[in-house]
Amino acid sequence: MALEMRTFGDPVLKTRAAPVEDFDESLERLAEEMLATMREQEGVGLAANQVGRLKRILVAALEDEEYVLVNPVIEEVAQTEEIAPEGCLSIPGIQVEVERPTAITVSGQNTSGEPVRIEAEGLLARIFQHEVDHLDGVLILDRTDRASRKAAMREWRERLLAQQG
Ligand code: ZN
């Protein structure tokens, strides 16, 4: 079952999620529901904050592969960075340029509590960094330059007004 998406302005998106300590059935269910929500939204990643749960769990999808990562930590980052447009399911319709390392190593656990380590580059590396940011209460608007942020905020407000009208 898909969960309700939280969108920009909801304080849960600006709040740091807490580490997962219980690897129980409810964690397994949350992971399944997050995957279902990501598929329904046609997204490439989702963090628990975005469905209103302040737990350190993310899901990601690229090509035919799906990932679930609990308590993710970015261990290593490449020296090279790249600027690319990024969107966010919690700020629908908005894209801003975000500079990030082109490759990372991320570690964490699966839903059974077993250690997981993933080396990612390109889009997958970007997705993991975006979702770990969410777990720290950080959004793409916090990662872009001031002018882009202002333009994105203006566009967001206009969208809200258009929806109300
Ligand atoms: Zn996002």
Side-chain angles (χ1 to χ4, degrees), residues 13 45-47 50 86-91 130-131 134 138-140:
L13 296 173
L46 189 72
Q50 295 181 277
E86 251 176 65
C88 179
L89 292 177
S90 291
I91 323 173
H130 179 117
E131 304 311 334
H134 271 302
V138 173
L139 299 173
I140 51 174

Side-chain angles (χ1 to χ4, degrees), residues 3-8 10-13 48-53 89-92:
L3 302 165
E4 191 193 332
M5 288 295 305
R6 302 299 183 91
T7 53
F8 183 66
D10 190 319
V12 78
L13 296 173
N49 309 46
Q50 295 181 277
V51 289
R53 313 292 177 86
L89 292 177
S90 291
I91 323 173

Side-chain angles (χ1 to χ4, degrees), residues 124-138:
L124 187 59
R126 185 168 286 273
I127 295 166
F128 282 130
Q129 292 174 82
H130 179 117
E131 304 311 334
V132 171
D133 271 355
H134 271 302
L135 299 177
D136 292 332
V138 173

Side-chain angles (χ1 to χ4, degrees), residues 25-78:
E25 239 173 75
S26 71
L27 180 69
E28 182 64 43
R29 191 162 59 242
L30 175 59
E32 285 301 326
E33 288 176 335
M34 286 175 63
L35 285 167
T37 308
M38 177 177 66
R39 291 179 203 127
E40 186 189 80
Q41 299 282 329
E42 298 179 355
V44 291
L46 189 72
N49 309 46
Q50 295 181 277
V51 289
R53 313 292 177 86
L54 287 170
K55 290 189 174 297
R56 300 189 78 81
I57 172 168
L58 65 80
V59 296
L62 191 62
E63 286 149 15
D64 289 334
E65 197 86 37
E66 286 186 330
Y67 304 85
V68 176
L69 207 46
V70 180
N71 297 326
V73 176
I74 293 172
E75 304 274 5
E76 289 168 48
V77 299

